[in-house]
């Protein structure tokens, strides 16, 4: 674990840290190292390629924002659907900000939309803000094109948690739905 922290701090950009702290006001500034996203993504890909991440993702919760980001990037690269679901179930309760939530985009989901919808329904019925946000984000990413069903709009419109970070994702979902499925989505806006 110390190995990864040492590597993360070697990538630190203190000016970027100041910038990030303003964008994510709900987490402590002291928990932000300040690593630019492309650098962190590259490091995650390196860890996945070398299969050098198992211990890191097994230890939760993480201390730093960038550790959560790294965890999200690693899970997003894993190639086994069931393993990704298992890792998400362990990780999502520890996601504590919109940035980590929105960076969590498992690529394998594109190949498993038939099974994914069941998980999304579970996530959006959670009591955890960022699990709900993640579920809405997955619905937006994977079910507004080929796999679109009008029932999905109803499902998202019925989320009534009234949390800023959830409401913003629902708004983003409907803005995207209007762009992709205008005739169906506009009924929900009206």
């Amino acid at each position: 674990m110390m190995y990864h922290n040492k590597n993360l701090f070697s990538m630190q950009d203190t000016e970027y840290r100041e910038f990030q702290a303003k964008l994510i006001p709900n987490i402590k500034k002291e928990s932000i190292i300040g690593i630019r996203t492309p650098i962190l993504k590259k490091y995650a890909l390196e860890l996945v390629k070398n299969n050098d991440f198992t211990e890191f993702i097994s230890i939760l919760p993480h201390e730093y924002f960038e550790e959560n980001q790294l965890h999200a990037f690693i899970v997003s690269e894993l190639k086994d659907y069931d393993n990704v679901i298992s890792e998400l179930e362990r990780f999502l309760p520890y996601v504590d900000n919109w940035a980590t939530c929105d960076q969590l985009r498992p690529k394998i989901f594109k190949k498993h939309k038939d099974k994914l919808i069941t998980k999304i329904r579970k996530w959006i019925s959670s009591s955890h803000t960022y699990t709900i946000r993640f579920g809405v984000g997955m619905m937006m990413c994977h079910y507004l094109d080929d796999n679109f069903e009008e029932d999905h709009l109803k499902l998202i419109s019925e989320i009534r948690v009234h949390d800023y970070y959830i409401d913003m994702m629902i708004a983003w979902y409907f803005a995207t739905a209007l762009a992709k499925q205008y005739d169906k989505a506009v009924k929900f806006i009206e």
Side-chain angles (χ1 to χ4, degrees):
M1 220 24 200
M2 284 304 270
Y3 165 76
H4 292 296
N5 282 352
K6 185 178 170 188
N7 282 349
L8 293 176
F9 276 96
S10 75
M11 301 175 218
Q12 185 177 38
D13 178 335
T14 52
E15 284 183 30
Y16 188 65
R17 177 181 184 238
E18 297 302 315
F19 171 73
Q20 274 189 312
K22 292 174 188 168
L23 292 178
I24 314 164
N26 66 309
I27 62 172
K28 293 178 187 167
K29 184 177 174 181
E30 301 78 40
S31 72
I32 300 173
I33 297 170
I35 304 172
R36 295 182 182 273
T37 300
I39 294 169
L40 203 53
K41 278 186 175 181
K42 184 178 176 185
Y43 183 53
L45 286 171
E46 186 182 304
L47 293 175
V48 170
K49 180 182 168 194
N50 296 326
N51 202 27
D52 185 22
F53 61 87
T54 311
E55 181 185 357
F56 171 74
I57 66 171
S58 72
I59 300 169
L60 288 167
H62 297 300
E63 183 178 352
Y64 295 101
F65 164 74
E66 284 81 1
E67 289 176 309
N68 281 327
Q69 292 287 89
L70 183 62
H71 196 129
F73 295 145
I74 289 168
V75 170
S76 295
E77 293 297 326
L78 300 179
K79 307 232 184 288
D80 178 85
Y81 176 82
D82 293 328
N83 185 37
V84 169
I85 293 297
S86 174
E87 289 301 330
L88 283 171
E89 296 297 333
R90 282 186 353 85
F91 182 54
L92 281 170
Y94 297 100
V95 174
D96 62 357
N97 66 85
W98 67 267
T100 301
C101 182
D102 295 0
Q103 293 282 5
L104 193 52
R105 295 286 184 256
K107 294 176 182 176
I108 194 68
F109 283 179
K110 292 176 187 169
K111 297 179 182 179
H112 296 278
K113 292 181 186 179
D114 55 326
K115 295 191 278 188
L116 180 60
I117 190 69
T118 303
K119 287 294 177 188
I120 289 173
R121 289 176 190 274
K122 179 182 174 240
W123 293 326
I124 64 172
S125 66
S126 169
S127 61
H128 181 251
T129 295
Y130 298 102
T131 300
I132 298 168
R133 184 179 171 102
F134 177 72
V136 176
M138 291 300 95
M139 188 69 90
M140 180 178 71
C141 289
H142 297 290
Y143 295 93
L144 285 175
D145 294 309
D146 299 339
N147 297 70
F148 173 76
E149 292 177 21
E150 194 167 351
D151 180 54
H152 297 159
L153 296 165
K154 185 175 187 294
L155 187 67
I156 300 303
S157 73
E158 291 174 347
I159 298 171
R160 298 278 191 263
V161 179
H162 304 297
D163 174 279
Y164 175 80
Y165 292 103
I166 295 170
D167 290 345
M168 291 308 293
M169 181 55 82
I170 291 170
W172 185 8
Y173 171 84
F174 276 101
T176 306
L178 282 169
K180 293 182 173 213
Q181 302 290 341
Y182 183 82
D183 293 337
K184 304 280 190 224
V186 75
K187 295 176 199 173
F188 287 85
I189 303 301
E190 291 171 346

